[in-house]
Structure formats: structure tokens, C-alpha cells
Amino acid sequence: MQRAMRLLERVAEHEYGAPAKQLARETGLALPTAYHLLRTLVHEGYLRREKGLFFLGEAAERLSSREAQQKRRSTVVDALARWRDAIGVPVYYAMYRDGEIEVMCVSDTPGNPAVEEWADFRETAHAHAIGQCLLSQLDEEARRDHLDRYPVRPVTPYTVRDGNVLMKRLESMRRMAPVVERQEYALGTVCAAIPITVGTTAATMAISLPLQQADRLLPAAQRLQDEVGRLLGSLAISISI
């Protein structure tokens, strides 16, 4: 029981998943013992396995206390605040869940304020970097389903006007490249979003800048991507805060 709990604790620290060999090494268990315990935990629903990586399962999530959930949220909030201060930009964390765009957390300052949500983010995914980044991670059927429910419409003079044009843009996006939009959602603002895919869940971290600082956008997005990459290797960013 104690060894199984150690494995669960380790998996909980790797919310982007961890392979059996890594978990065995981190818990000090022999690999055959770790494999046996991991298979048992998967069978009981405490873990799930996707593409060779282990994640917390529904049974473990049910055991998760409100305090633990708050701790995971605090981890994300603290990380966004550090990046906000280090890069000097507002930072956003969003995900695509149950067919909707959800902005989970925003970190900004009076000197570097976030973009005002003047048009519902959920209904205007085609117009902002966050939405385009999340839609680019979906398959074609899911994209078309979203756009059927929230058709492309002009938000500013720079917004993409046609759903087919948007679909072609999404298909042409490189898998891990930042998604950039310039004044498509808010005049005088440029934004960039980096994709974060965990299993079948689409998520993104994003930044925004005033148009007059547009030359900072790509370097800032690249730095954010580097920072996120470093964090994912050592800390747990909750994908379900």
C-alpha cells in the first residue's frame, strides 16, 4: 500500500504524464515492482495510461481534496505571475474543454494590463490567438463543430472574414509554433499563443502587447515557450484547475 501511494504521489507531480521507468527511478522501486503496481492502479482506476505515460485516473481525482485542487491552481497562478514579471507582458492560460474556449487564469499588472474581453472569448475563437491556437490543436470535425456553433464574424477590420479561409489557416499552422494575431480581436493589440497538448486536451499559454510594441511579440512568445518547457519538466501545471 505504501509503495502504491508513493507511485500515486509521483504521478500527481507529473500532470503531463510520466513513463514507468521514470516513476520507478523517482520512487526507488525495482522496475518489475513498479510495473506490477502501476498495472494494478490502472485496473482499479487510480491511474490511466496514454501512449506509455501514466496520469491520475478518475478514482484518484475523486480522492483529491479541495485543498489539493487549490494547491494546483496556486501553482499555475504563481507560474504565470513569474513569467509576467520576467517577460513584462500579461500572461493567459486557457484550454478547450467540453467544446468551449475557457480562459482559466490571467496574470497582468496596471502597467501591463490584459486585453479587455469586450466580445465573448468563447464566441470569437476565430479572432484571437488563444482561440486560434486551441482550434489548431483539434481535428477537422471538432473545428467544424465549433465553427458551426460560433460562426466566423468580423470583430475588427482585421478579423478573418471567411470560415474556409480560417480552416486553411489552422491547417497550415506548424504544430509547436506560436500562433500570432494582430488587431484581429482588439484594435491596437497584438497577441501570441503557444500550444500545450496533453493527451487529448488542448491548452495554451498566451501573451498580449500594445501594437506599438509589436516587435517584442515573437521574442516574448519564444521566451514564454522556453519557460513553459522548463517548468513542465519539474513542476505540475494542472490541466483541470
Side-chain angles (χ1 to χ4, degrees):
M1 179 66 175
Q2 185 177 11
R3 292 179 300 179
M5 289 301 297
R6 280 158 53 194
L7 281 170
L8 280 173
E9 289 171 355
R10 285 297 180 178
V11 172
E13 293 173 359
H14 297 283
E15 293 203 22
Y16 284 86
K21 289 183 179 180
Q22 180 179 354
L23 294 169
R25 183 173 63 252
E26 292 179 355
T27 54
L29 295 173
L31 188 55
T33 301
Y35 270 126
H36 172 71
L37 290 170
L38 288 168
R39 283 196 299 268
T40 300
L41 290 168
V42 169
H43 178 73
E44 297 295 332
Y46 290 99
L47 295 179
R48 57 185 173 86
R49 186 178 183 181
E50 292 183 15
K51 298 179 181 179
L53 301 178
F54 291 91
F55 302 82
L56 290 182
E58 291 184 5
E61 292 292 350
R62 286 195 296 269
L63 293 175
S64 178
S65 66
R66 188 176 184 86
E67 181 179 354
Q69 293 172 355
Q70 183 60 42
K71 183 177 181 180
R72 290 198 299 271
R73 182 178 179 84
S74 296
T75 300
V76 178
V77 171
D78 292 346
L80 263 64
R82 287 200 304 275
W83 296 331
R84 175 202 69 202
D85 294 340
I87 306 174
V89 293
V91 183
Y92 311 74
Y93 173 47
M95 59 187 297
Y96 195 81
R97 186 163 60 180
D98 297 328
E100 300 291 349
I101 303 287
E102 294 191 31
V103 178
M104 312 298 291
C105 188
V106 179
S107 187
D108 64 353
T109 64
N112 291 300
V115 176
E116 181 182 354
E117 187 179 351
W118 72 277
D120 193 324
F121 260 43
R122 293 176 300 178
E123 298 179 6
T124 56
H126 61 283
H128 47 74
I130 286 174
Q132 292 178 30
C133 186
L134 292 174
L135 291 178
S136 74
Q137 296 174 61
L138 306 180
D139 60 31
E140 183 177 354
E141 182 180 358
R143 290 174 190 165
R144 291 196 181 280
D145 172 73
H146 185 92
L147 295 176
D148 284 344
R149 290 181 287 117
Y150 301 115
V152 170
R153 61 180 177 85
V155 180
T156 76
Y158 301 93
T159 308
V160 62
R161 291 296 200 273
D162 182 87
N164 290 326
V165 173
L166 175 67
M167 288 292 287
K168 290 179 181 178
R169 180 192 295 184
L170 296 173
E171 290 167 4
S172 67
M173 290 177 179
R174 288 183 294 141
R175 184 171 175 271
M176 296 308 295
V179 176
V180 174
E181 61 91 353
R182 303 174 188 276
Q183 303 192 88
E184 294 182 51
Y185 177 78
L187 293 176
T189 302
V190 295
C191 303
I194 60 172
I196 304 172
T197 304
V198 183
T200 58
T201 302
T204 182
M205 295 281 183
I207 60 174
S208 61
L209 282 166
L211 180 61
Q212 60 268 30
Q213 297 181 36
D215 59 331
R216 292 184 55 209
L217 186 65
L218 285 177
Q222 185 58 62
R223 182 170 178 188
L224 176 64
Q225 195 161 31
D226 293 343
E227 294 287 346
V228 170
R230 279 194 285 271
L231 182 69
L232 293 182
S234 58
L235 296 177
I237 293 184
S238 173
I239 204 68
S240 58
I241 56 174

